[in-house]
Amino acid sequence: MPLTKEQLANRVAKEVKSGTYVNLGIGMPSLVANYISPEIDVTFQTENGILGLGGYPTENEVDADLTNASKQTVTTLPGAAIVDSVEAFSMIRGGHIDLTILGGMEVDQYGNIANWKIPGKLVKGMGGAMDLVAGAKRVIVMMQHTSPDGKSKILKNCTLPLTGKSVVSEVFTDFARFVFENGEMILTELAKDITLDELKAKTEASFKISPTLQILE
Amino acid sequence: MVKIYESSTEVIKDVVSGSTIMIGGFGICGIAENLLRALYNSGSDKLNLITLTAHIDGYGVGKLIDAKRVKSMIASYIGENKEVERQYFNGEIEIDLIPQGTFAERMRAQGVGIPAFYSPVGVGTEVAEGKEVRVINGKEYILEEALGADFAFVKAWKADTKGNLVYRKTAKNFNPVMATAGKITIAEVEEIVPAGELDPNEIDTPGIYVQRLVKGEFFEKKIERLTLKK
């Protein structure tokens, strides 16, 4: 069975390690925070200037001057720092962020990602995504494996304008986990009860299969 | 030397049609809402805006866009404003979308007198089209130029009479860097205190970057996405 969004967020949360600085993208990646074990000591950064992001506020705590990069009201944790945009992106571009988790419209077998524009249809802008994929030490993409009409979003070559070229470290979908190593895309985990043939039918990209293939759960 | 003005209307009087204006804020958090209201009331049009987002329909920059008074925008994310997307697809507005960190750094470069810099962001994407590519230590970079403006509209929490500014929480965002990059930086603040009352150690933007100062008349401080703890 393919994973639900929640199951996928729970799986990706296991990639978040203690002692790291992490930036979560908007949409599906923001769910990951809900599944990180309390023993994990992670610091979340937001590109609008928080290092040490907390949860959402109570009604009394709401402050129009304290939001996250999705423009939602938030709080900060003890030990947080608030910086301006230049400094927030110095952290990102300068290679100080250990991990970013982003959503994707398309990922291809060369580790390219597209997630900001559909020419003629949708133009929302790249925001901080191009900076994050260029600067973070590890780039995880989490996305649906196929479009609602069943077309593969894991491609030989991205068709949409790129967000970054050969920048993806690994991609998690509702069907599988692929890791990019030395220019190759390798299947390392596959959802339970999905056969390799079923996966191949849903995947346009060519990939290798890890000798230690595991269940995505 | 900073000059303190009595009203938002007066402080933006020479922001005429066709001006290029930087507007601080992340979404609508930390925008100079009084200056934007005064700009709307001034009737100036054909404006060239440098703003992270298009704000929201009917508020902030969104109000100017609704009235078709924005000629061009340099921005990074316009996902929250339907009207700007409509105008863009109809060819009614020019929009240059650039990566957010590049947006910040180009203004920083302007403020510190660096005409251009090499960046790894956007290599191999549309963003790199037409730009010089240079390989440094085996990695590709693109040349990005400094970005300035006729005016910068910044919003700070407090100022002193020397024009020193202090921001509050994430309302800081692009305001400090824009203050350094505008030819004429206009700061709108919630409170102006006598020189000496702010701790020199705590100043975010020193007064040297601020040409004009005004105490905002009314702060609505709208929230884009009110989200509460469940």
Side-chain angles (χ1 to χ4, degrees):
Chain A
M1 285 288 284
L3 273 61
T4 63
K5 276 184 187 175
E6 289 71 26
Q7 288 169 327
L8 187 57
N10 183 50
R11 169 62 191 88
V12 174
K14 291 176 189 156
E15 300 302 315
V16 177
K17 308 295 183 209
S18 259
T20 59
Y21 295 94
V22 176
N23 182 303
L24 296 180
I26 55 178
M28 222 200 308
S30 64
L31 291 176
V32 171
N34 302 337
Y35 296 93
I36 294 168
S37 146
E39 293 100 70
I40 299 291
D41 180 16
V42 57
T43 305
F44 287 112
Q45 193 246 22
T46 69
E47 61 265 32
N48 66 320
I50 303 173
L51 190 66
L53 175 71
Y56 297 122
T58 62
E59 218 156 306
N60 289 332
E61 289 170 330
V62 167
D63 186 338
D65 289 340
L66 187 58
T67 59
N68 63 14
S70 302
K71 294 102 174 174
Q72 295 170 310
T73 43
V74 292
T75 60
T76 51
L77 293 178
I82 293 179
V83 299
D84 78 320
S85 299
V86 167
E87 182 111 40
F89 281 93
S90 300
M91 294 175 192
I92 292 169
R93 195 189 314 98
H96 306 282
I97 299 292
D98 296 295
L99 169 66
T100 187
I101 304 174
L102 297 170
M105 293 175 179
E106 294 177 348
V107 165
D108 70 24
Q109 64 194 44
Y110 305 103
N112 300 324
I113 172 177
N115 72 353
W116 70 281
K117 183 180 182 183
I118 304 174
K121 277 193 194 154
L122 172 79
V123 53
K124 55 187 182 117
M126 64 291 276
M130 282 196 182
D131 310 273
L132 282 161
V133 298
K137 289 181 195 158
R138 185 178 175 203
V139 176
I140 291 180
V141 179
M142 62 187 288
M143 61 190 282
Q144 300 293 324
H145 202 95
T146 58
S147 60
D149 57 355
K151 276 173 67 184
S152 177
K153 296 188 350 178
I154 308 296
L155 303 172
K156 286 195 189 303
N157 288 288
C158 287
T159 62
L160 297 172
L162 294 185
T163 306
K165 195 179 158 192
S166 303
V167 291
V168 179
S169 315
E170 54 210 282
V171 56
F172 286 84
T173 74
D174 41 349
F175 283 88
R177 175 198 190 200
F178 299 95
V179 172
F180 294 89
E181 264 174 28
N182 308 318
E184 289 180 328
M185 184 167 132
I186 303 160
L187 174 70
T188 61
E189 294 176 31
L190 181 60
K192 211 175 173 182
D193 299 330
I194 304 288
T195 66
L196 267 175
D197 284 343
E198 282 174 298
L199 181 72
K200 281 181 183 166
K202 287 182 184 300
T203 310
E204 191 204 277
S206 305
F207 56 88
K208 287 198 163 175
I209 299 160
S210 165
T212 57
L213 184 62
Q214 304 200 347
I215 293 173
L216 177 72
E217 58 185 356
Chain B
M1 180 84 183
V2 70
K3 186 174 172 200
I4 300 174
Y5 285 69
E6 287 304 312
S7 75
S8 298
T9 307
E10 201 191 331
V11 79
I12 61 120
K13 225 178 207 164
D14 55 350
V15 183
V16 294
S17 293
S19 296
T20 298
I21 315 161
M22 284 175 175
I23 293 161
F26 194 103
I28 57 172
C29 178
I31 61 170
E33 55 177 294
N34 289 284
L35 299 182
L36 287 173
R37 236 176 259 133
L39 181 64
Y40 180 81
N41 293 334
S42 78
S44 293
D45 65 0
K46 299 184 182 66
L47 300 169
N48 303 293
L49 304 183
I50 300 170
T51 170
L52 182 72
T53 76
H55 299 165
I56 50 178
D57 295 274
Y59 186 70
V61 162
K63 224 175 152 185
L64 289 163
I65 292 168
D66 290 347
K68 300 197 176 164
R69 282 162 49 193
V70 181
K71 178 172 172 271
S72 77
M73 267 178 57
I74 297 177
S76 184
Y77 188 84
I78 55 168
E80 272 98 12
N81 187 316
K82 290 268 165 271
E83 173 61 14
V84 80
E85 205 174 39
R86 193 198 64 74
Q87 290 186 16
Y88 175 71
F89 284 125
N90 276 342
E92 296 167 28
I93 189 169
E94 298 160 33
I95 299 181
D96 186 11
L97 289 169
I98 62 180
Q100 192 174 159
T102 300
F103 182 76
E105 195 64 15
R106 286 179 62 190
M107 294 186 281
R108 193 189 83 88
Q110 177 72 25
V112 300
I114 303 274
F117 57 93
Y118 289 103
S119 170
V121 178
V123 168
T125 75
E126 271 183 14
V127 164
E129 282 170 19
K131 289 177 187 159
E132 182 192 325
V133 177
R134 174 131 171 213
V135 177
I136 301 172
N137 295 328
K139 199 176 154 184
E140 275 183 30
Y141 297 88
I142 54 177
L143 189 69
E144 293 284 1
E145 290 183 8
L147 180 63
D150 302 326
F151 297 94
F153 284 10
V154 309
K155 158 70 184 29
W157 179 28
K158 287 183 192 173
D160 68 15
T161 47
K162 289 283 187 184
N164 295 308
L165 305 180
V166 176
Y167 304 92
R168 193 168 170 277
K169 301 191 178 179
T170 59
K172 187 188 274 186
N173 58 66
F174 291 93
N175 286 299
V177 73
M178 287 182 175
T180 70
K183 275 184 209 146
I184 296 173
T185 291
I186 308 176
E188 161 186 328
V189 299
E190 294 176 44
E191 192 184 352
I192 301 175
V193 300
E197 269 197 27
L198 298 177
D199 179 349
N201 272 309
E202 305 288 322
I203 303 296
D204 292 310
T205 293
I208 192 168
Y209 298 114
V210 182
Q211 281 70 47
R212 301 178 190 174
L213 186 61
V214 68
K215 183 174 179 299
E217 287 87 354
F218 168 64
F219 289 95
E220 190 178 354
K221 282 205 186 179
K222 260 195 186 177
I223 291 173
E224 200 156 334
R225 288 195 184 146
L226 177 66
T227 313
L228 297 175
K229 190 176 180 174
K230 281 186 191 132

